Amino acid sequence: MYSQFIKELIDLPDVLIQKVRKEEERWIFELSLPEQCPLCPVCLKRTIKMTGKKKQWMHGYAQRIGIFWIELPVERRRCGTCGATFSTSYPGIPPRSVATNAFQRWVAQSCIGTSIQAVARMLKLPYTTVERWFYTHAPSFLSNDIQPKAVCVDEFAFRKGHDYGVAVMDADTGEVYAIEEGKNEEAIGRALAHVSRSVQVVVSDLAPAMKRAIQEICPEATHVVDYFHVIQLFTNALERCRKYLDKGGKKHGNVRYVCRLLSQCPEKLTEE
Ligand SMILES: [Zn+2]
């Protein structure tokens, strides 16, 4: 009964549960595979173990326990026949990630109906990690029968500087409707195609690719430019203006004064 409970908690086929230990605040299930010789991925012949170490992955969450981890041996092995070397790996457990696929999916699912920030705080995980898992796994469980009226479209990075994606969200609720890989006009078009039947307003930044994709896929919709980006344009222009005037040098205080006036609320300004 007790071991069946742990088996279902871990829910990984074929693994053997050796024992569970607590290291500082972390509960760790020590797992292993049935004794066997992994075959060479190139020629399918017998292989020899060169080095071995243990690696841990986040795998589940329980009230009062927090995140619990699994630990599995990772071996570096060499083929006795062709000499190829490789590391042992396990299905559903990405070797370079800190968490199993099952845990990443659960975290992504937890974000729905709340926010990425709230989930990151509850699990004490970095915001960017939860965000990456959300955008990786959310597309697989997003609903198909959606008819939003107003959406935001924006690009984001799966990994900063490497893999980009385009997300389409509800402008009011922030619910994610579609995610597509890439950030060019074609990717934006693919993402918008999910909502193009019903959408009447599309909010985006000022990128020309956004404008072209919106005109192409949602020609009937009104294109609204995100106010954040408009304010950014305005402050940039103000800054350029200030630098230009600054070149005169002498009337420094005067320029500062004009800048302050320009960035005030109109209601606060007096006649002078
Ligand atoms: Zn081989």
Side-chain angles (χ1 to χ4, degrees):
M1 158 66 203
Y2 172 72
S3 68
Q4 186 59 30
F5 170 73
I6 293 185
K7 246 197 163 83
E8 289 188 22
L9 186 70
I10 300 293
D11 193 29
L12 289 171
D14 305 330
V15 301
L16 304 172
I17 296 146
Q18 300 296 347
K19 62 180 214 190
V20 55
R21 69 173 197 274
K22 194 175 188 185
E23 221 168 75
E24 288 168 24
E25 288 302 294
R26 186 183 288 192
W27 279 100
I28 303 165
F29 289 88
E30 298 175 17
L31 311 180
S32 70
L33 283 183
E35 202 57 51
Q36 53 163 305
C37 173
L39 298 177
C40 170
V42 181
C43 68
L44 302 178
K45 297 276 166 52
R46 288 178 63 83
T47 55
I48 315 139
K49 174 175 159 185
M50 296 157 67
T51 57
K53 57 180 182 185
K54 308 261 182 174
K55 187 170 158 36
Q56 295 165 359
W57 289 267
M58 295 178 212
H59 184 57
Y61 179 85
Q63 198 80 48
R64 289 192 289 275
I65 301 281
I67 293 171
F68 60 83
W69 298 62
I70 57 167
E71 184 178 85
L72 275 158
V74 174
E75 294 173 359
R76 197 80 196 139
R77 300 187 71 96
R78 178 199 293 278
C79 174
T81 310
C82 75
T85 58
F86 64 99
S87 295
T88 49
S89 61
Y90 304 94
I93 306 180
R96 283 169 206 286
S97 177
V98 293
T100 61
N101 283 343
F103 185 72
Q104 293 183 19
R105 260 200 308 279
W106 175 79
V107 170
Q109 204 120 35
S110 305
C111 294
I112 291 179
T114 168
S115 68
I116 292 173
Q117 193 159 30
V119 172
R121 207 176 298 140
M122 178 187 81
L123 298 174
K124 302 191 184 81
L125 290 173
Y127 177 87
T128 48
T129 304
V130 176
E131 185 186 40
R132 189 171 64 246
W133 293 346
F134 177 72
Y135 286 119
T136 306
H137 296 280
S140 64
F141 45 73
L142 293 174
S143 79
N144 290 318
D145 52 334
I146 42 166
Q147 306 220 323
K149 296 269 179 284
V151 296
C152 298
V153 54
D154 207 356
E155 67 169 61
F156 63 91
F158 284 108
R159 286 189 303 144
K160 271 254 145 47
H162 294 273
D163 309 321
Y164 287 92
V166 177
V168 172
M169 290 156 288
D170 192 287
D172 298 317
T173 64
E175 188 183 345
V176 179
Y177 293 127
I179 289 167
E180 293 289 341
E181 259 183 77
K183 61 171 184 174
N184 57 10
E185 186 182 335
E186 197 234 321
I188 300 164
R190 267 186 284 123
L192 281 171
H194 294 273
V195 298
S196 59
R197 278 175 304 135
S198 67
V199 79
Q200 291 165 1
V201 176
V202 181
V203 183
S204 82
D205 65 14
L206 294 150
M210 287 284 184
K211 189 178 173 193
R212 287 196 300 269
I214 292 165
Q215 280 169 350
E216 170 78 23
I217 307 294
C218 315
E220 304 289 302
T222 309
H223 182 191
V224 176
V225 173
D226 188 349
Y227 66 88
F228 170 78
H229 292 99
V230 176
I231 291 172
Q232 203 173 34
L233 264 193
F234 180 71
T235 45
N236 285 350
L238 201 58
E239 188 63 13
R240 272 204 307 278
C241 195
R242 192 183 64 76
K243 281 186 181 142
Y244 172 73
L245 290 172
D246 238 11
K247 282 190 182 137
K250 289 174 220 150
K251 297 181 194 162
H252 189 77
N254 206 0
V255 173
R256 277 277 169 84
Y257 178 64
V258 170
C259 262
R260 252 203 328 276
L261 283 184
L262 279 171
S263 47
Q264 280 292 334
C265 293
E267 303 87 67
K268 284 193 190 157
L269 294 175
T270 56
E271 278 301 313
E272 313 150 53

